[in-house]
Amino acid sequence: MLVNLRRAYLSYAFGMDIHPTAEMSLSAKLDRTFPIGVHLGARSYIALGAVVLTHDRTRGLYAHTRIGQDCFVGARSILLPGVTVGDGSIVAAGSVVTRDVPRDCIVAGNPARVIKCGIGVGAFGRLPDADLTESRLAAAGLA
């Protein structure tokens, strides 16, 4: 409920391009200095503490930052202004994305580098075996 209210607030009050099916943690930070530069695709998720930047005051840069469909942006990641995360990609936790991420890839590190391509994900960037892994953990009493 709160996430839906936040998405509506950011979309209507600030003019951010956030798809109605996109989700984000309440602690995710979306740049409000150049809010029309934030673009979040369908069925994508931004995890806690992740930052999506659209401006850089030191360079006087204002750029559109795009996250495609079915993407996952991990906790405490930073997407710098002007980068595009391709459809079906995963940004690992703590990554600093300085360049575009190709579609269907996993990136990690500072600066983020491609660690695997050709991945297949479902909605919100979930890997195909994620449900099975969760079920096994729950059966073992660990989830």
Side-chain angles (χ1 to χ4, degrees):
M1 176 68 140
L2 286 176
V3 171
N4 292 335
L5 287 173
R6 182 171 188 233
R7 178 179 42 247
Y9 170 70
L10 292 172
S11 294
Y12 296 112
F14 287 95
M16 293 182 186
D17 175 24
I18 302 174
H19 193 277
T21 61
E23 294 185 4
M24 68 194 84
S25 168
L26 291 175
S27 64
K29 306 291 186 210
L30 306 180
D31 196 339
R32 290 187 283 184
T33 300
F34 182 60
I36 62 169
V38 174
H39 305 275
L40 182 55
R43 300 170 312 277
S44 288
Y45 183 77
I46 302 176
L48 81 142
V51 178
V52 178
L53 295 172
T54 57
H55 86 288
D56 180 344
R57 294 215 12 120
T58 60
R59 296 184 289 163
L61 176 68
Y62 296 85
H64 292 264
T65 303
R66 294 176 166 79
I67 300 169
Q69 297 181 27
D70 299 320
C71 293
F72 179 84
V73 178
R76 306 257 185 235
S77 295
I78 301 171
L79 276 61
L80 294 182
V83 301
T84 297
V85 177
D87 294 343
S89 291
I90 296 172
V91 176
S95 298
V96 178
V97 181
T98 60
R99 287 182 240 150
D100 290 351
V101 176
R103 67 177 298 129
D104 302 322
C105 288
I106 299 174
V107 297
N110 179 7
R113 303 226 185 271
V114 174
I115 58 171
K116 188 172 185 179
C117 274
I119 64 168
V121 298
F124 308 106
R126 286 176 61 90
L127 294 169
D129 63 347
D131 291 332
L132 179 60
T133 302
E134 273 188 23
S135 296
R136 288 181 180 156
L137 289 172
L142 300 172

